[in-house]
Amino acid sequence: MDNENDYEAKTEFLKVWGPFQRRLSLLLAITMVPNGFTSPMGVFVADTPAHRCLVPAHRVNLTAEWRNVSIPLEEDGRPAECSRYRLDALLTYSEAGFQPSDVNLTAVPREGCLDGWEYDRSVYTSTIVSEWDLVCGQQWKKPLTLSLYFCGYLVGSFLSGQLSDRFGRKIVLFAAIAGHKLCVFLQGFSHSWVVFCVLQFLGGMCTMSSYLTAFVLCAELLSAQARLLFTTAGLCLFFALGYMLLPLHAYFLRDWRMLLLGINAPGLLLLTFWWSIPESPRWLLSQGRIAEAEDIVKRAAKSNKVEAPTKIFTPLQKDGSEKMKAYNICDLLHIRNMRWLSAVLWHVWATITMSYLAMSLNTSNLHGDAYLNCFLSAAVEIPAYIITWLMFRRFPRRLTMAGWLFSAGFFLLVNQVIQADLHWVAVSLEMMGKFCLTAAFSHVYAYSVELYPTVLRNTAMGACSMVARIGSILAPYIIYLRSYSPSLPYILMGILIAMASLLSLLLPESYGMPLPETPADMQPFAGCCRKNIYQHARTKEETQSNNNNNNT
């Protein structure tokens, strides 16, 4: 069948940005809005309300004075969350006629929350934390719950490519959308933490599958110019739009079950896109289904009001005289130049993903209104994506990447020396750090595409995505470090981001360079590989031809 270059050449009669491309881009971008809802949803669904040990009135007949002092105070003056004074001791003092002021409470023995907890309901009616008491000795379950969602990302990154190559882009896209809606719907009715976690994992797998499949489908249907705009800004902007709508829904739906059902219901409309989004003609050609591919291209031409040839594609006869070397994922480590390049990119990808998601999940811990903070965290992504797209067209990749990372690390580390009462300064620095990380996130994806050769590009991008998922799995545990020290997550993220910034300076520059076709065409990695400058294959052929002519 026709290869990729044949497809580009034989569909040149289609407009670059006609009604067909605009409609297709819009529909596929809209499928990203629910992903923006659900990925940071743990900010509200899994938030930990203020809580204290429950002192049941029906079990212990304490007076109001003794009930008010039944919870010990911590060193900072806050009520203890995981312990109370022994109720039988307090009851003994109460029945003996003592008042709390007559007793040295520090000498009264303590006990755990044997009767459960009571939660502050002023912000949330309920969360999964208050539903299943994921506090104190069970608080480890909260980061695990969030990490399982990103474990689903990891599996979805691996399976979606295999399934879409086997069954087609369109069917996998809509199967993933339907699967995600079903998982979220069932989560809203789950009455077990284990069941919720299983659905959390499956939902994450479907979310990542729909994202990657939509990305591939639109990239294969659009021309090169339209593809750059869509992949660097289009999908990301609609993801950010969904992210911005999340706090609005959460503000009016304070119960976690109602929130899940409320944000899930509109997403069912995406299933109606089945009749408007076509299959990828490139995939159909790879399967030998030439007639179906031609039918889609002709309908696109009709939508764009251009005339399509009667016969567009013809089978490609391979005589076996030329065989291209087959590459696999092992070559990312076997080839020296690519090994060092991949090692640096994997560190950068994992660090950016981990820090980005950690900062997204941390908005409920910031000073001020959690809903406003979440909205601001989403809103800063809009200009970040737009600026990244503009800078990607005109500025060097390597220095831009290092600059975004350095700025993000700087804001996070400086935030720790701000006085505790300057809350608005701390929140502003947090948002500026999130802005820089978002820009770096968008930048590294397109930058990596330019660094890897064509024969390994898809495999390499899949490997980067898999490593990034490891960073996302660790993100909830980075926030969990707040239980030891509020500054610890920021210091750790700041150091890792600073390391990524320095390492990114070792990456080769790709701005203005043609895409490498084979590993031999790649830019040399600084300090460890060949020293001759990069030459594209055609340029090398011209140079050799000129040398032969000079010798003659």
Side-chain angles (χ1 to χ4, degrees), residues 241-543:
L241 176 62
Y243 190 180
M244 291 172 64
L245 293 175
L246 171 63
L248 178 64
H249 282 71
Y251 182 81
F252 293 102
L253 301 173
R254 301 298 181 98
D255 179 81
W256 72 270
R257 296 182 187 274
M258 295 304 299
L259 176 59
L260 286 177
L261 297 176
I263 65 176
N264 192 50
L268 294 174
L269 297 175
L270 298 179
L271 298 177
T272 62
F273 290 1
W274 173 270
W275 292 274
S276 302
I277 296 178
E279 180 56 87
S280 167
R282 295 176 188 264
W283 180 81
L284 291 171
L285 290 173
S286 70
Q287 302 299 306
R289 297 158 63 175
I290 299 177
E292 296 177 57
E294 286 187 338
D295 180 63
I296 293 173
V297 175
K298 288 179 179 179
R299 282 190 279 121
K302 183 179 179 181
S303 177
N304 288 348
K305 295 181 173 55
V306 296
E307 189 69 25
T310 304
K311 188 67 176 175
I312 304 174
F313 305 112
T314 56
L316 180 64
Q317 302 296 330
K318 295 184 178 181
D319 56 9
S321 58
E322 293 185 2
K323 294 183 179 180
M324 180 175 289
K325 178 183 176 181
Y327 292 89
N328 55 53
I329 193 171
C330 295
D331 290 305
L332 295 178
L333 298 175
H334 177 70
I335 301 174
R336 188 183 185 191
N337 192 25
M338 204 173 302
R339 177 168 65 245
W340 291 103
L341 174 70
S342 298
V344 171
L345 283 177
W346 290 347
H347 174 77
V348 172
W349 274 69
T351 300
I352 292 176
T353 306
M354 180 192 69
S355 303
Y356 168 84
L357 289 172
M359 295 186 69
S360 298
L361 296 173
N362 189 51
T363 52
S364 60
N365 296 319
L366 298 179
H367 180 78
D369 186 76
Y371 302 97
L372 177 60
N373 289 335
C374 182
F375 177 81
L376 293 175
S377 180
V380 297
E381 295 193 5
I382 300 293
Y385 291 132
I386 296 175
I387 290 175
T388 301
W389 173 63
L390 294 174
M391 294 185 67
F392 202 81
R393 299 173 61 190
R394 299 184 180 276
F395 289 91
R397 316 300 195 224
R398 181 171 59 92
L399 295 179
T400 303
M401 171 62 67
W404 286 127
L405 290 172
F406 177 81
S407 300
F410 173 79
F411 288 130
L412 291 181
L413 292 175
V414 169
N415 201 5
Q416 304 316 299
V417 300
I418 298 299
Q419 295 182 10
D421 57 337
L422 297 178
H423 301 299
W424 66 272
V425 176
V427 173
S428 299
L429 289 173
E430 175 107 359
M431 294 307 163
M432 286 190 284
K434 177 70 181 300
F435 172 88
C436 295
L437 272 177
T438 302
F441 206 155
S442 178
H443 188 92
V444 72
Y445 203 104
Y447 185 22
S448 301
V449 168
E450 295 181 343
L451 291 177
Y452 283 109
T454 300
V455 294
L456 266 170
R457 188 169 294 123
N458 286 341
T459 300
M461 294 302 294
C464 289
S465 180
M466 295 277 284
V467 174
R469 302 290 74 80
I470 297 175
S472 62
I473 292 171
L474 295 175
Y477 290 97
I478 295 296
I479 300 304
Y480 181 69
L481 295 176
R482 285 181 56 89
S483 59
Y484 299 99
S485 171
S487 300
L488 191 55
Y490 293 96
I491 295 174
L492 180 59
M493 287 189 294
I495 293 174
L496 290 175
I497 293 172
M499 289 175 56
S501 175
L502 294 175
L503 288 175
S504 65
L505 293 174
L506 298 176
L507 295 172
E509 182 56 64
S510 62
Y511 177 66
M513 300 288 186
L515 292 179
E517 300 294 337
T518 66
D521 296 330
M522 291 176 60
Q523 292 277 2
F525 188 85
C528 70
C529 300
R530 60 181 186 177
K531 297 182 179 180
N532 55 299
I533 61 171
Y534 170 84
Q535 284 185 304
H536 190 247
R538 187 172 63 180
T539 305
K540 290 187 288 186
E541 293 173 0
E542 292 173 353
T543 303

Side-chain angles (χ1 to χ4, degrees), residues 120-287:
D120 179 14
R121 308 286 180 178
S122 61
V123 179
Y124 308 106
T125 303
S126 69
T127 67
I128 64 170
V129 174
S130 62
E131 180 85 12
W132 293 303
D133 291 330
L134 308 183
V135 293
C136 298
Q138 300 294 313
Q139 63 182 350
W140 59 270
K141 291 183 177 180
K142 175 183 173 179
L144 176 61
T145 305
L146 301 177
S147 285
L148 285 172
Y149 185 78
F150 299 116
C151 287
Y153 270 34
L154 179 64
V155 177
S157 299
F158 176 76
L159 290 182
S160 61
Q162 310 294 321
L163 293 175
S164 62
D165 285 344
R166 174 66 178 86
F167 299 104
R169 312 329 189 190
K170 180 178 177 179
I171 190 171
V172 172
L173 172 63
F174 284 94
I177 292 174
H180 177 257
K181 301 304 149 199
L182 179 62
C183 288
V184 176
F185 177 79
L186 294 177
Q187 275 185 308
F189 293 95
S190 58
H191 291 277
S192 165
W193 175 74
V194 174
V195 173
F196 183 90
C197 287
V198 171
L199 294 170
Q200 184 85 333
F201 172 81
L202 295 175
M205 188 171 64
C206 293
T207 299
M208 178 51 63
S209 297
S210 66
Y211 173 82
L212 291 178
T213 308
F215 185 93
V216 171
L217 180 57
C218 203
E220 291 181 343
L221 281 164
L222 295 179
S223 63
Q225 297 178 6
R227 189 184 308 143
L228 176 63
L229 173 62
F230 182 80
T231 54
T232 57
L235 284 179
C236 299
L237 287 174
F238 277 79
F239 176 91
L241 176 62
Y243 190 180
M244 291 172 64
L245 293 175
L246 171 63
L248 178 64
H249 282 71
Y251 182 81
F252 293 102
L253 301 173
R254 301 298 181 98
D255 179 81
W256 72 270
R257 296 182 187 274
M258 295 304 299
L259 176 59
L260 286 177
L261 297 176
I263 65 176
N264 192 50
L268 294 174
L269 297 175
L270 298 179
L271 298 177
T272 62
F273 290 1
W274 173 270
W275 292 274
S276 302
I277 296 178
E279 180 56 87
S280 167
R282 295 176 188 264
W283 180 81
L284 291 171
L285 290 173
S286 70
Q287 302 299 306

